[in-house]
Amino acid sequence: MQQVYKATDVGLVRKGNEDNLVVFDTVYAVADGMGGEAAGEIASQMLVDTIKEKLAGRDNIGERELCQAVQDANMAIRHYVWEHPACEGMGTTATLLHIDEHCCRAFWAHVGDSRLYLLRGGAETLEQITRDHSYVEDLVREGTITHEEAKRHPQRNMLTRAVGVMEELVVDSGQLTIHDGDIFLLATDGLMKHVEDTAITHILRENAENPAQALLNAALAAGGRDNITVVVVSLT
Ligand code: CA
């Protein structure tokens, strides 16, 4: 069985919420729009609308179908930009998860710096499944800076990949076998900026009535500058 919790909030500083989320059938996604308030909101909305349009009611969703939905959203946003040249540069992150009907396998697709995490059974810590497509992530991988330095780096918000920015888009994807008790977390960076992995793990283990809301509240309590969006999928 899958229990799903979701929460999104504008945060304490921004005027608009450029984040979006979608939860339907057994498809879950978060999106973090960029390109100025209205454009960012439009981009992340177009992403979730396209996912719903392409995948709702479909059988046999796998990596390929998730990636194609992201590619379709990329083209939809590019078309919008062609018609609205002032919006050039608008785009969105996309992190998608699908659990198959037998709760045996999880499929994911991903672009940008939102994240998919897995908290498994007796594991002490979260496992980050997706890799950030960001400038600072590349620097960390090269060994130029540490993870801690990345969090404070002046260019920490610079993405190397986003949906809607260019015609050519590479979408990461993967799949894994599910174990009883697995908890998946999808989140935009508004959560990770303020809440450490250890605190996230603790909150997910707490059995809060709504763990997504509990995580969001933790980000707000820590200052919550950015928009915050969280989806938690708990498998029992
Ligand atoms: Ca953000």
Side-chain angles (χ1 to χ4, degrees):
M1 228 182 70
Q2 310 177 32
Q3 279 185 303
V4 185
Y5 309 91
K6 58 184 180 175
T8 185
D9 195 275
V10 66
L12 301 174
V13 174
R14 303 238 174 135
K15 288 201 187 75
N17 191 350
E18 297 181 87
D19 283 2
N20 254 297
L21 64 83
V22 64
V23 166
F24 65 89
D25 303 339
T26 51
V27 176
Y28 316 104
V30 298
D32 180 349
M34 61 190 201
E37 274 172 35
E41 282 175 36
I42 292 166
S44 63
Q45 187 66 48
M46 287 179 86
L47 179 96
V48 300
D49 288 348
T50 305
I51 292 170
K52 233 186 269 180
E53 184 192 318
K54 300 291 174 181
L55 299 177
R58 267 188 78 160
D59 296 326
N60 298 320
I61 297 172
E63 284 178 56
R64 190 198 312 201
E65 289 71 24
L66 294 179
C67 289
Q68 188 57 51
V70 176
Q71 294 288 3
D72 291 343
N74 190 58
M75 286 315 295
I77 296 169
R78 291 308 303 161
H79 278 291
Y80 185 88
V81 171
W82 291 329
E83 287 166 5
H84 305 83
C87 293
E88 186 63 67
M90 77 191 273
T92 181
T93 70
T95 302
L96 288 68
L97 173 72
H98 165 64
I99 309 288
D100 79 346
E101 57 177 323
H102 307 294
C103 289
C104 290
R105 291 197 81 68
F107 302 90
W108 59 267
H110 166 75
V111 173
D113 69 346
S114 301
R115 290 181 183 169
L116 171 67
Y117 290 96
L118 169 62
L119 181 59
R120 173 155 283 173
E124 295 279 310
T125 50
L126 288 172
E127 183 187 354
Q128 186 180 332
I129 304 292
T130 51
R131 170 183 173 172
D132 293 355
H133 300 132
S134 67
Y135 175 64
V136 291
E137 176 69 15
D138 289 350
L139 294 181
V140 169
R141 293 211 174 225
E142 284 169 8
T144 310
I145 61 169
T146 65
H147 275 290
E148 283 311 305
E149 288 167 337
K151 285 185 183 172
R152 294 184 299 274
H153 197 282
Q155 283 156 308
R156 62 187 176 277
N157 291 327
M158 189 188 287
L159 297 186
T160 52
R161 264 194 244 174
V163 182
V165 176
M166 292 197 287
E167 273 78 72
E168 288 286 316
L169 177 69
V170 178
V171 182
D172 288 353
S173 68
Q175 54 181 291
L176 48 125
T177 304
I178 290 170
H179 295 191
D180 274 355
D182 279 354
I183 300 172
F184 289 96
L185 164 66
L186 298 97
T188 58
D189 66 340
L191 176 70
M192 286 77 80
K193 275 176 194 167
H194 292 292
V195 189
E196 298 289 334
D197 285 8
T198 47
I200 292 175
T201 304
H202 184 71
I203 291 167
L204 289 174
R205 291 256 186 257
E206 259 177 355
N207 293 320
E209 199 172 313
N210 182 342
Q213 189 64 46
L215 288 167
L216 190 152
N217 291 345
L220 290 175
R225 287 188 309 278
D226 199 358
N227 306 145
I228 307 152
T229 298
V230 183
V231 176
V232 174
V233 183
S234 182
L235 295 145
T236 48

